[in-house]
Amino acid sequence: MQDLSADQQFFRGTTSKFLDEQMPTGELRRRRDTQAGFDEKYWHRGADLGWTSLLVGEHLGGGTVSGDGLVDLSLVAYEFGRHAAPGPLVPDNIVAATLAAAGTDAHAGLIGDLLSGGSIASWALSEPPPHDRLDDVTLDIGVDGGDVALNGVKRPVESARQADHLLVTGRTGTGLTQVLVPTDAAGVSVEPMRTVDLTRRFDRVIFDDVRLPARTVIGEVGGAGGQVERQLQMALVLVNAECVGAMQTGFDMTLEWMFDRYSFGRPLASYQELKHRLADMKTWLEASHAISDAAAAAVGSGSPDGAELVSAAKAFIGEYGTQLLQDCVQLHGGIGVTFDHDLHLFLRRHTVNRALYGTPAEHRQRIADLVEQQKGVVA
């Protein structure tokens, strides 16, 4: 894991302690059938701890712990994964960061509400099949006089039913456009989805000739490609950190079980074959920590290799995190496949995150494309 300053350790420890107290696994199970999976008080108190303000400048009410807000936020995301915590941490922060980066005063009020936890926003990027591959955006955003009109479907959109606003990424001609859409706007309908994650909520959102003033466009009409790429890289950093947190909890639970559980008078952890298997898992876990941290630092600092690193991290963690958590289930024996055991909460968190914002295969393709682009520049 990365070396943390005393302030960062305190910051992460505060979130960990809060989630230990507020969202133990028993509470997660109790909330599994509730609409949001959390209540307003929980999100407000999280906002007070800094969950929503790290990607926004001080002049708008935000601020960082270390000077790199994305790295600081990745510490919170890691704890979210380690606790399988509910709440739209990733999309809410992406919207706040994008509005702040737009550099206008028009959204200062909403940014303040997001930072205080009084309002929730989500990012609507992905689309249903056959347009569900990463970078495939077809929702139409047309310009009609002084208005824009949105037509299409987005899914999955995290916490759309709890959100007051959606940042919708669509296509205008050959370019990308982003519009801030109130969820109560005429023509917007939200349908809940079922996913394997018991703690977070995802929805399908339909935009049927949603007409809004042109001032709701964030950035340039047809020129938001760079903006969307930056949002995607930040979201990937946070999703990767969540996955590593879930892997860490799964591994810790399994290691404890292997020393506590006896077979033929010896702890399971003493058997050579099982020790070798744990060694493999520990190697995958430490490598995931390292590549996740490296990607966070690169994207946070705006390094040129940020795009390549964050996709490499998503591909690696997606593949080996799944293998690690499946091994955790197997090493727990029969109890590992029961619903009553907590292990599946972390496997479910990782499984959904593996698919969000691009699968490992899609990110390997992105890396290949980046390498080809670099070859073209050199040639």
Side-chain angles (χ1 to χ4, degrees), residues 12-13 15-16 19 74-85 241 245:
R12 193 180 71 185
T15 290
S16 178
L19 293 175
S74 73
L75 304 178
V76 178
Y78 172 78
E79 291 299 331
F80 261 58
R82 210 167 65 81
H83 293 80

Side-chain angles (χ1 to χ4, degrees), residues 198 217 257:
L198 300 184
V217 173
W257 167 259

Side-chain angles (χ1 to χ4, degrees), residues 4-5 9 29 31 33 84 99 111 116 123 167 172 183 196 239 248 255-256 287 321 323-324 329 334-335 359 363:
L4 302 180
S5 68
Q9 290 178 9
R29 290 170 178 277
R31 293 174 177 271
D33 294 321
L99 296 181
I111 292 172
S116 71
W123 182 24
L167 179 62
T172 304
T183 49
V196 296
V239 168
Q248 184 69 60
L255 195 61
E256 184 178 359
Q323 195 164 341
L324 182 148
V329 171
I335 195 173
T359 63
H363 282 284

Side-chain angles (χ1 to χ4, degrees), residues 166-205:
L166 301 175
L167 179 62
V168 182
T169 302
R171 189 167 295 282
T172 304
T174 58
L176 297 179
T177 302
Q178 298 203 106
V179 179
L180 187 66
V181 180
T183 49
D184 60 359
V188 177
S189 55
V190 181
E191 301 172 350
M193 294 178 64
R194 277 189 78 179
T195 73
V196 296
D197 192 335
L198 300 184
T199 60
R200 293 178 297 177
R201 305 293 180 262
F202 294 90
D203 302 288
R204 178 173 184 262
V205 186

Side-chain angles (χ1 to χ4, degrees), residues 1 19 89-90 103 111 137 248 266:
M1 296 178 65
L19 293 175
L89 181 76
V90 176
I111 292 172
V137 175
Q248 184 69 60
R266 296 169 53 188

